[in-house]
Amino acid sequence: VVEDTGELPDTAGPSWAWNVNGIRSDADGVPGGVTDEFVVEANDGVAIVVTFVNPIERVLGSTSVTKLLIDQTGRVPSGQQFTITYVCRFDGSVVAEGALLVGIDQTVPIDNLPIGTECRFDEPSGELPQLDGVAFADPVWVNQTTTVEQIPSDGAGASVTNTAAAGVGSEGPLPTPDPMPLPATGTSLRILVLAAALLALGIVLVQSRRQPREVVREL
């Protein structure tokens, strides 16, 4: 007995497929594939019933998200992870949602989703790493919403790029050098006072030399 699987009716969509490995013969009770064999004894008066069982099953696939970083500060650790959230909907219903920890240059898949599922990714600004002297610009997304495929094609996944620039982090801005302290007490103060006095005396002497002298002549 052979089942022509090419004549099976169409399924409701690409996320469903026929399972053609469900033929069962009541003669031996052992499931077969698309064929089944059994022996009919002559004149035994027993009717042989062959049952074809073809369940419709979900076709599952996957999608993914990749994390990229442009670090202009050199302060972001190579092992730093970022939080990315996702919500996946199929036929209007949420079938998967959650949060992922994704490292720099890492791709994380989400598997076992029905074909055609749409997944929306996001990176909450409040979940960005708080690093001293580092400010993250708004993320740049490619394919922020993806469609699940049985075999994902190149570039079908989502990717998000962050740029880390110098700025205010969790512990304030980048450190600046302390100004040179001015001497205020002790010997240093006396030296400053003496220098100021000598400068003033020099100014007085210069001014006095520039004033004209009166010459008194006797008549």
Side-chain angles (χ1 to χ4, degrees), residues 66-147:
T66 300
K67 181 65 188 180
L68 303 173
L69 177 69
I70 301 173
D71 186 6
Q72 299 176 347
T73 68
R75 291 172 170 258
V76 182
S78 59
Q80 182 67 56
Q81 292 184 312
F82 295 78
T83 299
I84 296 178
T85 61
Y86 64 93
V87 177
C88 300
R89 291 181 170 86
F90 181 77
D91 283 347
S93 299
V94 175
V95 294
E97 61 181 328
L100 304 169
L101 287 177
V102 186
I104 300 171
D105 295 330
Q106 181 184 11
T107 298
V108 176
I110 304 175
D111 299 318
N112 299 321
L113 297 173
I115 298 297
T117 298
E118 289 192 349
C119 294
R120 169 80 177 187
F121 296 90
D122 196 11
E123 186 177 49
S125 59
E127 298 292 334
L128 286 171
Q130 299 296 305
L131 303 174
D132 183 22
V134 176
F136 289 98
D138 292 338
V140 177
W141 284 93
V142 175
N143 299 333
Q144 189 170 6
T145 298
T146 64
T147 301

Side-chain angles (χ1 to χ4, degrees), residues 150-177:
Q150 187 172 12
I151 302 177
S153 56
D154 292 340
S159 69
V160 56
T161 301
N162 290 97
T163 298
V168 177
S170 61
E171 301 179 16
L174 289 172
T176 55

